């Protein structure tokens, strides 16, 4: 019986040349994520899914660790085709090791023997055909860290674009200039998880703050729609000082970037902090708004965060989109994506009209049967 690592090693292709640099006779540098690992022949990078064999860097390809259809609000994107179905796929592995990860079964599959995720063989054509059949408007690389599996995402996104679908990354943002340039032609929407504004906290998670901030600045300068999420963890990143600095930074890049502050619940190896309360979320959201952010949302405790689930015009405060959790209750934007009351252009990627909602709850596609590896 092959190990998971052996199974995944076979599911690879040669990495994109844009993401590889030769350092010397024995080592390659991978530029798929901010670690920029120097990898000797026979070794793998920090993520354990990209490796050097005989002077060639290999990258994951040809399988999924999971597929699910989510409302786009779950990713979360609140300013991109509200109500759309987001066909979401993930592979295995991550470049960080957050102790509170809510996707740890897939992200930590190669590090933690308790994370038992079964990869299934598939192709871009099969996934995109299924997304189209289900009425999805967006195809999303998510669940594991998509940067480390960028080649696979780009292959699927090329197929998705040809089928008239949009594409998205749900990512920790630990990118490099090279990988962003590689992704830029193929990614429409990008969610960055800004986990903290303290480099020491990032180091506890296995990363650094600066590459994430650079990614946010770079994405804002590209034609990619960006939204940012912060999971508010009591005692870890929820001090007023840290939220003040974090939201001031986002507002300094652009006050139009939507910022979602979401509630922590005990998960994986982080069981000490209490769960985030609605009051904590609202307090952080209000601080973000005071710091100049125009579109602030308090997530995943529906019905208990007041108006912070809804979108209002930043100019006249007219209600534009009313939500209850992932469900769209009202949609009032004009066909041009403007406020119907004062005419202010609302930043985002909007349809000419609300196109309804196939599902306000996630579901696993029933017909998609893939061969387990
Ligand atoms: S994706 Fe990141 S962690 Fe993985 S090998 Fe490349 S630089 Fe290292």
């Amino acid at each position: 019986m092959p190990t998971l690592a052996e199974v995944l090693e076979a599911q690879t292709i040669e990495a994109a040349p844009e993401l590889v640099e030769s350092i010397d006779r024995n080592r390659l540098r991978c530029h798929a994520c901010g670690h920029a690992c120097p990898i000797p022949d026979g070794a793998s990078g920090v993520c354990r899914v990209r490796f050097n064999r005989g002077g060639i860097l290999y990258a994951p390809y040809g399988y999924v660790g999971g597929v699910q259809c989510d409302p786009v609000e779950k990713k979360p994107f609140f300013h991109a085709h509200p109500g759309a179905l987001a066909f979401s796929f993930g592979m295995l592995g991550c470049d960080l090791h957050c102790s509170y990860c809510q996707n740890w079964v897939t992200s930590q599959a190669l590090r933690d023997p308790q994370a038992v995720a079964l990869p299934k063989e598939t192709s871009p054509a099969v996934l995109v055909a299924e997304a189209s059949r289900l009425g999805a408007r967006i195809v999303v690389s998510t669940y594991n860290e998509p940067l480390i599996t960028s080649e696979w995402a780009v292959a699927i996104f090329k197929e998705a674009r040809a089928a008239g679908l949009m594409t998205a990354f749900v990512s920790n943002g630990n990118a490099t200039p090279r990988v962003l340039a590689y992704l830029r032609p193929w990614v429409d929407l990008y969610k960055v998880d800004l986990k903290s504004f303290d480099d020491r906290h990032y180091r506890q998670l296995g990363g650094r703050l600066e590459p994430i901030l650079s990614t946010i600045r770079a994405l804002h300068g590209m034609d990619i729609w960006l939204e940012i999420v912060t999971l508010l963890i009591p005692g870890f990143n929820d001090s007023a000082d840290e939220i003040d600095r974090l939201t001031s930074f986002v507002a300094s890049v652009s006050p139009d970037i939507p910022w979602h502050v979401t509630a922590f619940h005990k998960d994986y190896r982080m069981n000490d902090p209490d769960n985030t309360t609605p009051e904590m979320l609202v307090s952080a959201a209000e601080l973000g708004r005071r710091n100049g952010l125009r579109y602030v949302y308090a997530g995943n405790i529906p019905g208990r965060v007041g108006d912070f689930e809804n979108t209002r015009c930043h100019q006249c405060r007219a209600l534009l989109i009313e939500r209850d959790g992932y469900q769209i209750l009202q949609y009032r934007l004009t066909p041009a994506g403007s406020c119907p009351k004062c005419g202010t252009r609302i930043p985002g990627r909007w349809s000419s009209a609300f196109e309804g909602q196939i599902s306000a709850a996630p579901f696993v596609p029933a017909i998609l049967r893939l061969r387990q590896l």
Side-chain angles (χ1 to χ4, degrees), residues 203-218:
R203 285 176 191 269
Q204 287 175 30
L205 310 177
R208 292 178 297 123
L209 175 61
E210 190 47 46
I212 321 295
L213 304 187
S214 298
T215 298
I216 289 170
R217 290 189 200 99

Side-chain angles (χ1 to χ4, degrees), residues 30 32-33 35-37 39 45-47 50 95 148:
C30 173
C33 92
H35 291 320
C37 298
I39 310 177
V46 169
C47 61
R50 300 172 75 91
D95 54 333
I148 67 174

Side-chain angles (χ1 to χ4, degrees), residues 215-238:
T215 298
I216 289 170
R217 290 189 200 99
L219 285 169
H220 180 65
M222 298 175 173
D223 189 27
I224 294 176
W225 178 250
L226 169 66
E227 302 199 17
I228 295 177
V229 179
T230 300
L231 182 71
L232 196 69
I233 304 173
F236 179 70
N237 63 0
D238 68 330

Side-chain angles (χ1 to χ4, degrees), residues 129-148:
E130 183 69 356
S132 297
R133 190 187 68 78
L134 291 163
R137 183 177 181 120
I138 308 165
V139 174
V140 188
S141 186
T142 178
Y143 306 133
N144 76 315
E145 173 47 48
L147 287 166
I148 67 174

Side-chain angles (χ1 to χ4, degrees), residues 65-371:
V67 171
Q68 184 171 288
C69 287
D70 292 332
V72 71
E73 286 72 21
K74 182 173 183 290
K75 305 323 295 179
F77 290 108
F78 275 21
H79 287 228
H81 304 284
L85 194 67
F87 184 90
S88 306
F89 64 90
M91 301 188 94
L92 300 178
C94 190
D95 54 333
L96 303 184
H97 47 78
C98 308
S99 54
Y100 54 82
C101 184
Q102 292 171 356
N103 291 318
W104 66 275
V105 172
T106 48
S107 71
Q108 303 302 314
L110 286 157
R111 291 197 183 98
D112 186 337
Q114 290 178 7
V116 181
L118 302 172
K120 293 181 177 152
E121 187 176 34
T122 188
S123 70
V126 165
L127 293 177
V128 171
E130 183 69 356
S132 297
R133 190 187 68 78
L134 291 163
R137 183 177 181 120
I138 308 165
V139 174
V140 188
S141 186
T142 178
Y143 306 133
N144 76 315
E145 173 47 48
L147 287 166
I148 67 174
T149 51
S150 286
E151 289 87 349
W152 174 236
V154 165
I156 294 168
F157 289 173
K158 286 179 178 175
E159 195 88 23
R161 283 277 183 81
L165 304 180
M166 295 180 75
T167 63
F169 251 37
V170 170
S171 163
N172 62 30
N174 186 29
T176 64
R178 285 201 194 197
V179 75
L180 292 180
Y182 174 69
L183 293 170
R184 183 177 189 172
W186 303 108
V187 177
D188 296 305
L189 317 172
Y190 202 119
K191 187 217 85 173
V192 170
D193 214 359
L194 182 54
K195 297 169 189 286
S196 167
F197 210 70
D198 185 325
D199 191 58
R200 287 168 307 166
H201 292 161
Y202 258 102
R203 285 176 191 269
Q204 287 175 30
L205 310 177
R208 292 178 297 123
L209 175 61
E210 190 47 46
I212 321 295
L213 304 187
S214 298
T215 298
I216 289 170
R217 290 189 200 99
L219 285 169
H220 180 65
M222 298 175 173
D223 189 27
I224 294 176
W225 178 250
L226 169 66
E227 302 199 17
I228 295 177
V229 179
T230 300
L231 182 71
L232 196 69
I233 304 173
F236 179 70
N237 63 0
D238 68 330
S239 73
D241 171 62
E242 185 161 344
I243 296 301
D244 184 38
R245 288 182 293 117
L246 186 152
T247 52
S248 296
F249 164 77
V250 178
S252 76
V253 178
S254 170
D256 286 339
I257 298 173
W259 180 58
H260 303 254
V261 58
T262 59
F264 163 82
H265 60 263
K266 295 174 194 274
D267 213 327
Y268 195 36
R269 291 177 172 158
M270 193 181 267
N271 289 306
D272 289 341
D274 288 330
N275 289 348
T276 312
T277 65
E279 293 74 27
M280 291 171 181
L281 281 191
V282 168
S283 164
E286 285 172 343
L287 184 47
R289 195 174 275 167
R290 282 201 298 280
N291 278 337
L293 290 173
R294 291 169 166 170
Y295 298 96
V296 176
Y297 301 103
N300 68 357
I301 314 186
R304 297 172 66 191
V305 291
D307 202 40
F308 281 110
E309 288 189 83
N310 302 325
T311 301
R312 286 184 179 274
C313 173
H314 67 262
Q315 205 59 257
C316 72
R317 305 302 300 160
L319 180 67
L320 302 174
I321 303 167
E322 184 184 7
R323 301 178 185 85
D324 177 16
Y326 305 139
Q327 191 166 10
I328 305 297
L329 302 178
Q330 291 193 65
Y331 184 90
R332 295 179 174 168
L333 283 166
T334 70
S338 301
C339 171
K341 192 165 163 214
C342 72
T344 297
R345 181 93 179 81
I346 307 303
R349 300 288 187 269
W350 310 109
S351 306
S352 56
F354 179 54
E355 294 167 341
Q357 205 164 11
I358 292 172
S359 176
F363 65 91
V364 175
I367 293 179
L368 187 66
R369 294 211 172 82
L370 304 175
R371 186 178 78 84

